[in-house]
Amino acid sequence: MEVVNRLLNYKDLNIVQNTDWFNFSLDSVLLANFALQNKSYKNIMDFCTGNAPVPLILSRKVNCNITGVEIQKEVFELAVQSIELNNLEDRVKILNMDVKNLSEVFETDTFDLITCNPPYFKVVESSNLNDNEIKTNARHETLIDLKDILSVCKKLLKNNASLVMVHRTERVTEILTKMKEYNLEPKRIRFIYPKMGENSNLVLIEARKNGKIGAKVLPPLYCHNK
């Protein structure tokens, strides 16, 4: 069922959702707020944009061109509705295409920032895949995986521009290793904890294309108090 909800903490932003599929999560809010280090961006792209929570939040923080990319047509249509509902068509564009094909459309060294809230889980024999295909594709690496994302980022980012990603903490060593393989140097890392005293379940990472070696681990972020 389609519903219109207020975007978390933004009185003037609304988002179109389908409760049978998935709702935007705290992950996207954390990603959008972690991403911006300055306001001099001209072109930002959001991979795996879903119903566009990240572009919506970014539109309130920086005045530039923002492009969201969503492969699933049904979810893409929600994103388009969300952009139109907030009268952002002049600044935010949503593409219904495969991230892996973006380098065929955009020139290399085009974007100042790429954000990504990707599918978190690998597909293995023991994977508990959802019967709902849209949910499965959003959560599992059925249509795209980590190396696909990093490969496209390497091509589309300007030199010293950033990829900012939110992911599962359990995959952090794999992510950092693969980033370096694609000349994306980790620069900022922040671990997210559900509550104090519990293990981290999410991590925010900024990596710069051809950046200098040297990463900062920022203070932990606790999502809930007792």
Side-chain angles (χ1 to χ4, degrees), residues 196-218:
M196 192 173 292
E198 296 185 1
N199 291 330
S200 168
N201 61 341
L202 292 173
V203 62
L204 295 161
I205 303 172
E206 176 196 4
R208 287 188 200 148
K209 179 178 174 180
N210 298 321
K212 294 180 180 178
I213 293 175
K216 292 182 180 179
V217 178
L218 304 182

PDB file of all heavy atoms in Angstrom, residues 196-218:
ATOM      1  N   MET A 196      24.512   1.812  23.818  1.00  0.00           N
ATOM      2  CA  MET A 196      25.786   1.684  24.517  1.00  0.00           C
ATOM      3  C   MET A 196      25.865   0.301  25.166  1.00  0.00           C
ATOM      4  O   MET A 196      24.902  -0.188  25.742  1.00  0.00           O
ATOM      5  CB  MET A 196      25.913   2.775  25.591  1.00  0.00           C
ATOM      6  CG  MET A 196      27.317   2.900  26.170  1.00  0.00           C
ATOM      7  SD  MET A 196      27.477   4.328  27.279  1.00  0.00           S
ATOM      8  CE  MET A 196      27.316   5.685  26.111  1.00  0.00           C
ATOM      9  N   GLY A 197      27.030  -0.340  25.020  1.00  0.00           N
ATOM     10  CA  GLY A 197      27.212  -1.677  25.585  1.00  0.00           C
ATOM     11  C   GLY A 197      26.908  -2.794  24.610  1.00  0.00           C
ATOM     12  O   GLY A 197      27.213  -3.955  24.884  1.00  0.00           O
ATOM     13  N   GLU A 198      26.317  -2.459  23.447  1.00  0.00           N
ATOM     14  CA  GLU A 198      26.042  -3.457  22.421  1.00  0.00           C
ATOM     15  C   GLU A 198      27.089  -3.362  21.313  1.00  0.00           C
ATOM     16  O   GLU A 198      27.805  -2.369  21.195  1.00  0.00           O
ATOM     17  CB  GLU A 198      24.639  -3.256  21.836  1.00  0.00           C
ATOM     18  CG  GLU A 198      23.529  -3.470  22.854  1.00  0.00           C
ATOM     19  CD  GLU A 198      22.145  -3.379  22.222  1.00  0.00           C
ATOM     20  OE1 GLU A 198      22.058  -3.165  20.987  1.00  0.00           O
ATOM     21  OE2 GLU A 198      21.157  -3.525  22.968  1.00  0.00           O
ATOM     22  N   ASN A 199      27.194  -4.408  20.501  1.00  0.00           N
ATOM     23  CA  ASN A 199      28.131  -4.409  19.387  1.00  0.00           C
ATOM     24  C   ASN A 199      27.660  -3.482  18.274  1.00  0.00           C
ATOM     25  O   ASN A 199      26.455  -3.297  18.057  1.00  0.00           O
ATOM     26  CB  ASN A 199      28.303  -5.819  18.822  1.00  0.00           C
ATOM     27  CG  ASN A 199      29.024  -6.746  19.783  1.00  0.00           C
ATOM     28  OD1 ASN A 199      29.855  -6.298  20.572  1.00  0.00           O
ATOM     29  ND2 ASN A 199      28.714  -8.025  19.713  1.00  0.00           N
ATOM     30  N   SER A 200      28.609  -2.921  17.550  1.00  0.00           N
ATOM     31  CA  SER A 200      28.275  -2.103  16.388  1.00  0.00           C
ATOM     32  C   SER A 200      27.629  -2.975  15.310  1.00  0.00           C
ATOM     33  O   SER A 200      28.080  -4.091  15.049  1.00  0.00           O
ATOM     34  CB  SER A 200      29.550  -1.461  15.832  1.00  0.00           C
ATOM     35  OG  SER A 200      29.321  -0.881  14.572  1.00  0.00           O
ATOM     36  N   ASN A 201      26.587  -2.439  14.669  1.00  0.00           N
ATOM     37  CA  ASN A 201      25.942  -3.189  13.585  1.00  0.00           C
ATOM     38  C   ASN A 201      26.062  -2.489  12.233  1.00  0.00           C
ATOM     39  O   ASN A 201      25.865  -3.099  11.187  1.00  0.00           O
ATOM     40  CB  ASN A 201      24.467  -3.462  13.899  1.00  0.00           C
ATOM     41  CG  ASN A 201      23.663  -2.176  14.059  1.00  0.00           C
ATOM     42  OD1 ASN A 201      24.220  -1.099  14.288  1.00  0.00           O
ATOM     43  ND2 ASN A 201      22.355  -2.279  13.955  1.00  0.00           N
ATOM     44  N   LEU A 202      26.412  -1.200  12.244  1.00  0.00           N
ATOM     45  CA  LEU A 202      26.569  -0.445  11.001  1.00  0.00           C
ATOM     46  C   LEU A 202      27.854   0.366  11.047  1.00  0.00           C
ATOM     47  O   LEU A 202      28.345   0.715  12.127  1.00  0.00           O
ATOM     48  CB  LEU A 202      25.389   0.513  10.794  1.00  0.00           C
ATOM     49  CG  LEU A 202      24.013  -0.089  10.519  1.00  0.00           C
ATOM     50  CD1 LEU A 202      22.962   1.018  10.519  1.00  0.00           C
ATOM     51  CD2 LEU A 202      23.994  -0.845   9.202  1.00  0.00           C
ATOM     52  N   VAL A 203      28.377   0.682   9.853  1.00  0.00           N
ATOM     53  CA  VAL A 203      29.559   1.535   9.762  1.00  0.00           C
ATOM     54  C   VAL A 203      29.380   2.517   8.609  1.00  0.00           C
ATOM     55  O   VAL A 203      28.821   2.178   7.560  1.00  0.00           O
ATOM     56  CB  VAL A 203      30.833   0.684   9.582  1.00  0.00           C
ATOM     57  CG1 VAL A 203      30.791  -0.116   8.277  1.00  0.00           C
ATOM     58  CG2 VAL A 203      32.087   1.555   9.650  1.00  0.00           C
ATOM     59  N   LEU A 204      29.810   3.742   8.833  1.00  0.00           N
ATOM     60  CA  LEU A 204      29.842   4.774   7.800  1.00  0.00           C
ATOM     61  C   LEU A 204      31.287   4.957   7.360  1.00  0.00           C
ATOM     62  O   LEU A 204      32.183   5.084   8.210  1.00  0.00           O
ATOM     63  CB  LEU A 204      29.301   6.097   8.338  1.00  0.00           C
ATOM     64  CG  LEU A 204      27.820   6.112   8.723  1.00  0.00           C
ATOM     65  CD1 LEU A 204      27.524   7.276   9.663  1.00  0.00           C
ATOM     66  CD2 LEU A 204      26.944   6.204   7.480  1.00  0.00           C
ATOM     67  N   ILE A 205      31.530   4.970   6.055  1.00  0.00           N
ATOM     68  CA  ILE A 205      32.884   5.072   5.537  1.00  0.00           C
ATOM     69  C   ILE A 205      32.927   6.102   4.407  1.00  0.00           C
ATOM     70  O   ILE A 205      32.105   6.064   3.488  1.00  0.00           O
ATOM     71  CB  ILE A 205      33.394   3.722   4.990  1.00  0.00           C
ATOM     72  CG1 ILE A 205      33.319   2.636   6.060  1.00  0.00           C
ATOM     73  CG2 ILE A 205      34.835   3.858   4.468  1.00  0.00           C
ATOM     74  CD1 ILE A 205      33.627   1.239   5.534  1.00  0.00           C
ATOM     75  N   GLU A 206      33.893   7.013   4.485  1.00  0.00           N
ATOM     76  CA  GLU A 206      34.199   7.893   3.367  1.00  0.00           C
ATOM     77  C   GLU A 206      35.540   7.475   2.784  1.00  0.00           C
ATOM     78  O   GLU A 206      36.523   7.305   3.524  1.00  0.00           O
ATOM     79  CB  GLU A 206      34.298   9.352   3.799  1.00  0.00           C
ATOM     80  CG  GLU A 206      34.707  10.263   2.633  1.00  0.00           C
ATOM     81  CD  GLU A 206      35.196  11.634   3.067  1.00  0.00           C
ATOM     82  OE1 GLU A 206      35.290  11.882   4.283  1.00  0.00           O
ATOM     83  OE2 GLU A 206      35.503  12.446   2.171  1.00  0.00           O
ATOM     84  N   ALA A 207      35.591   7.299   1.472  1.00  0.00           N
ATOM     85  CA  ALA A 207      36.843   6.979   0.777  1.00  0.00           C
ATOM     86  C   ALA A 207      37.024   7.944  -0.381  1.00  0.00           C
ATOM     87  O   ALA A 207      36.064   8.258  -1.087  1.00  0.00           O
ATOM     88  CB  ALA A 207      36.831   5.546   0.270  1.00  0.00           C
ATOM     89  N   ARG A 208      38.260   8.406  -0.584  1.00  0.00           N
ATOM     90  CA  ARG A 208      38.536   9.368  -1.650  1.00  0.00           C
ATOM     91  C   ARG A 208      39.314   8.726  -2.788  1.00  0.00           C
ATOM     92  O   ARG A 208      40.250   7.965  -2.563  1.00  0.00           O
ATOM     93  CB  ARG A 208      39.339  10.554  -1.109  1.00  0.00           C
ATOM     94  CG  ARG A 208      38.513  11.477  -0.260  1.00  0.00           C
ATOM     95  CD  ARG A 208      39.244  12.730   0.109  1.00  0.00           C
ATOM     96  NE  ARG A 208      38.609  13.328   1.288  1.00  0.00           N
ATOM     97  CZ  ARG A 208      39.253  14.019   2.203  1.00  0.00           C
ATOM     98  NH1 ARG A 208      40.557  14.206   2.090  1.00  0.00           N
ATOM     99  NH2 ARG A 208      38.607  14.526   3.229  1.00  0.00           N
ATOM    100  N   LYS A 209      38.907   9.046  -3.992  1.00  0.00           N
ATOM    101  CA  LYS A 209      39.588   8.530  -5.176  1.00  0.00           C
ATOM    102  C   LYS A 209      41.016   9.074  -5.238  1.00  0.00           C
ATOM    103  O   LYS A 209      41.225  10.297  -5.241  1.00  0.00           O
ATOM    104  CB  LYS A 209      38.803   8.925  -6.432  1.00  0.00           C
ATOM    105  CG  LYS A 209      39.445   8.442  -7.727  1.00  0.00           C
ATOM    106  CD  LYS A 209      38.577   8.842  -8.909  1.00  0.00           C
ATOM    107  CE  LYS A 209      39.235   8.508 -10.233  1.00  0.00           C
ATOM    108  NZ  LYS A 209      38.372   8.893 -11.380  1.00  0.00           N
ATOM    109  N   ASN A 210      41.986   8.166  -5.251  1.00  0.00           N
ATOM    110  CA  ASN A 210      43.407   8.518  -5.279  1.00  0.00           C
ATOM    111  C   ASN A 210      43.812   9.402  -4.110  1.00  0.00           C
ATOM    112  O   ASN A 210      44.734  10.217  -4.217  1.00  0.00           O
ATOM    113  CB  ASN A 210      43.776   9.212  -6.609  1.00  0.00           C
ATOM    114  CG  ASN A 210      43.550   8.310  -7.806  1.00  0.00           C
ATOM    115  OD1 ASN A 210      43.811   7.111  -7.750  1.00  0.00           O
ATOM    116  ND2 ASN A 210      43.042   8.878  -8.897  1.00  0.00           N
ATOM    117  N   GLY A 211      43.132   9.242  -2.988  1.00  0.00           N
ATOM    118  CA  GLY A 211      43.443  10.045  -1.808  1.00  0.00           C
ATOM    119  C   GLY A 211      44.736   9.592  -1.142  1.00  0.00           C
ATOM    120  O   GLY A 211      45.215   8.475  -1.355  1.00  0.00           O
ATOM    121  N   LYS A 212      45.283  10.469  -0.320  1.00  0.00           N
ATOM    122  CA  LYS A 212      46.483  10.130   0.433  1.00  0.00           C
ATOM    123  C   LYS A 212      46.136   9.154   1.558  1.00  0.00           C
ATOM    124  O   LYS A 212      45.023   9.155   2.073  1.00  0.00           O
ATOM    125  CB  LYS A 212      47.108  11.399   1.022  1.00  0.00           C
ATOM    126  CG  LYS A 212      47.636  12.366  -0.020  1.00  0.00           C
ATOM    127  CD  LYS A 212      48.235  13.594   0.638  1.00  0.00           C
ATOM    128  CE  LYS A 212      48.759  14.578  -0.402  1.00  0.00           C
ATOM    129  NZ  LYS A 212      49.312  15.807   0.239  1.00  0.00           N
ATOM    130  N   ILE A 213      47.107   8.331   1.944  1.00  0.00           N
ATOM    131  CA  ILE A 213      46.899   7.380   3.031  1.00  0.00           C
ATOM    132  C   ILE A 213      46.710   8.130   4.343  1.00  0.00           C
ATOM    133  O   ILE A 213      47.427   9.084   4.633  1.00  0.00           O
ATOM    134  CB  ILE A 213      48.091   6.404   3.134  1.00  0.00           C
ATOM    135  CG1 ILE A 213      48.147   5.509   1.900  1.00  0.00           C
ATOM    136  CG2 ILE A 213      47.998   5.550   4.393  1.00  0.00           C
ATOM    137  CD1 ILE A 213      49.350   4.600   1.859  1.00  0.00           C
ATOM    138  N   GLY A 214      45.743   7.697   5.118  1.00  0.00           N
ATOM    139  CA  GLY A 214      45.488   8.321   6.416  1.00  0.00           C
ATOM    140  C   GLY A 214      44.006   8.369   6.714  1.00  0.00           C
ATOM    141  O   GLY A 214      43.273   9.159   6.133  1.00  0.00           O
ATOM    142  N   ALA A 215      43.564   7.490   7.602  1.00  0.00           N
ATOM    143  CA  ALA A 215      42.136   7.415   7.937  1.00  0.00           C
ATOM    144  C   ALA A 215      41.906   7.856   9.376  1.00  0.00           C
ATOM    145  O   ALA A 215      42.741   7.634  10.256  1.00  0.00           O
ATOM    146  CB  ALA A 215      41.624   5.992   7.741  1.00  0.00           C
ATOM    147  N   LYS A 216      40.778   8.487   9.621  1.00  0.00           N
ATOM    148  CA  LYS A 216      40.363   8.872  10.972  1.00  0.00           C
ATOM    149  C   LYS A 216      39.169   8.008  11.385  1.00  0.00           C
ATOM    150  O   LYS A 216      38.208   7.861  10.623  1.00  0.00           O
ATOM    151  CB  LYS A 216      39.946  10.337  11.006  1.00  0.00           C
ATOM    152  CG  LYS A 216      41.083  11.322  10.789  1.00  0.00           C
ATOM    153  CD  LYS A 216      40.564  12.746  10.889  1.00  0.00           C
ATOM    154  CE  LYS A 216      41.700  13.759  10.672  1.00  0.00           C
ATOM    155  NZ  LYS A 216      41.192  15.147  10.736  1.00  0.00           N
ATOM    156  N   VAL A 217      39.240   7.446  12.583  1.00  0.00           N
ATOM    157  CA  VAL A 217      38.090   6.754  13.162  1.00  0.00           C
ATOM    158  C   VAL A 217      37.404   7.747  14.097  1.00  0.00           C
ATOM    159  O   VAL A 217      37.987   8.166  15.104  1.00  0.00           O
ATOM    160  CB  VAL A 217      38.504   5.479  13.911  1.00  0.00           C
ATOM    161  CG1 VAL A 217      37.279   4.824  14.546  1.00  0.00           C
ATOM    162  CG2 VAL A 217      39.188   4.503  12.959  1.00  0.00           C
ATOM    163  N   LEU A 218      36.204   8.127  13.748  1.00  0.00           N
ATOM    164  CA  LEU A 218      35.465   9.140  14.507  1.00  0.00           C
ATOM    165  C   LEU A 218      34.820   8.527  15.742  1.00  0.00           C
ATOM    166  O   LEU A 218      34.703   7.300  15.856  1.00  0.00           O
ATOM    167  CB  LEU A 218      34.411   9.776  13.604  1.00  0.00           C
ATOM    168  CG  LEU A 218      34.937  10.394  12.294  1.00  0.00           C
ATOM    169  CD1 LEU A 218      33.797  11.021  11.523  1.00  0.00           C
ATOM    170  CD2 LEU A 218      36.023  11.418  12.566  1.00  0.00           C
TER     171      LEU A 218
END
